[in-house]
Amino acid sequence: MIAERIWTAGLVIIGDEILSGRTQDKNVSQIALWLNLQGIRLTEVRIVADRTEEIVEAVNTLRARNDYLFTTGGIGPTHDDITVDAIAEALGIGVEIHPKARAVLEGYYATRGGLNEGRLRMARVPAGADLIENRMSGAPGIRIGNVFIMAGVPHITAMMLDALSGTLEGGKPLLSETVGCWVPESEVAELLATTEKRHDGCQIGSYPFFRDGRAGANFVIRSTDAAALAACAADLAATLALVGRDPVPGGI
């Protein structure tokens, strides 16, 4: 039997503000979930400072061992937005003003004070790059080879992801079901492992919590096969019930 091709992606989050704690990143979750729907697995995330050498190293490392690489942050209008230059350096190419990006920005800023030097920076791309549409603020994302350069602002990133939906080659979407239970995960660790072994192609993740003075956990089953997923979730719920634990379909 030939193993199913698994498509992968890496993510580089760029920004001193993330590392300092001033800004809380919200892009990892939405990018990972979106990638799952495209049949692509997010395998690694790095957070790097606004320093060219760090961006270059992270970009070259992650793009080499994944099918796709996404970056967020550092493509705005200010002097410290260096992502485009750093990625161009990583790829060994120059930077140019993309004519379509310039036209989009000219139209967007026509009634907002015009296209000044700072705003024009958002039309700069690694030479030969394509654009990713941004219906929110005009400034586009960038696609060059297997690298996707996106905004750091989460709702703008979401718009760019929407524009990319269905355009990337991937495998089967990763599906999931959740079964919750009021039980310390340590008491059912072996049960989870044996249940997973009974269902090829399924993975069970355990996510414990402590709430209202009680220990519980949500067990998330993942698979690309809907029938296998349903069978594993049903088996897990039945097995929990057999040992005197009340499963909660959909999670707690």
Side-chain angles (χ1 to χ4, degrees):
M1 180 178 178
I2 299 175
E4 182 183 340
R5 167 83 151 88
I6 297 177
W7 297 78
T8 66
L11 170 61
V12 178
I13 300 167
I14 300 164
D16 293 337
E17 70 278 6
I18 302 294
L19 288 168
S20 70
R22 290 192 302 271
T23 301
Q24 186 175 16
D25 178 78
K26 297 180 180 178
N27 279 321
V28 173
S29 176
Q30 72 167 346
I31 290 173
L33 291 170
W34 179 84
L35 285 168
N36 284 342
L37 294 176
Q38 312 307 308
I40 302 165
R41 312 286 178 83
L42 181 62
T43 61
E44 184 175 357
V45 179
R46 288 198 191 182
I47 304 175
V48 300
D50 293 305
R51 288 196 283 273
T52 297
E53 63 275 15
E54 294 188 20
I55 298 170
V56 168
E57 193 278 330
V59 165
N60 279 336
T61 298
L62 269 66
R63 75 184 178 95
R65 63 188 184 209
N66 290 285
D67 297 295
Y68 304 107
L69 172 67
F70 289 76
T71 72
T72 61
I75 59 172
T78 59
H79 70 283
D80 60 342
D81 288 310
I82 62 170
T83 296
V84 168
D85 297 272
I87 291 179
E89 182 174 324
L91 300 177
I93 56 180
V95 174
E96 62 188 14
I97 298 290
H98 195 292
K100 183 177 178 181
R102 179 174 188 142
V104 168
L105 290 167
E106 284 177 341
Y108 182 82
Y109 286 111
T111 58
R112 297 174 173 87
L115 187 61
N116 58 32
E117 185 176 343
R119 290 167 173 173
L120 185 59
R121 282 179 57 82
M122 294 186 288
R124 299 169 72 252
V125 303
D130 296 318
L131 302 181
I132 303 170
E133 183 184 5
N134 168 19
R135 298 190 300 274
M136 177 65 67
S137 63
I142 303 161
R143 176 177 184 171
I144 177 78
N146 71 335
V147 179
F148 299 80
I149 308 169
M150 312 186 82
V153 180
H155 64 270
I156 297 178
T157 304
M159 290 288 184
M160 293 179 178
L161 292 173
D162 184 61
L164 285 173
S165 290
T167 67
L168 276 61
E169 189 172 4
K172 295 179 181 178
L174 187 63
L175 310 173
S176 67
E177 282 195 31
T178 301
V179 177
C181 191
W182 288 104
V183 60
E185 67 170 353
S186 60
E187 294 185 11
V188 292
E190 186 175 346
L191 180 154
L192 296 174
T194 55
T195 302
E196 182 179 277
K197 287 179 181 178
R198 288 197 295 271
H199 298 273
D200 289 339
C202 293
Q203 295 177 323
I204 301 176
S206 178
Y207 303 93
F209 58 83
F210 190 79
R211 193 181 306 161
D212 301 326
R214 304 171 64 192
N218 283 311
F219 309 119
V220 180
I221 306 101
R222 299 180 177 90
S223 177
T224 57
D225 185 315
L229 177 67
C232 184
D235 186 13
L236 177 58
T239 305
L240 286 168
L242 281 174
V243 298
R245 301 295 182 174
D246 294 326
V248 181
I252 299 171

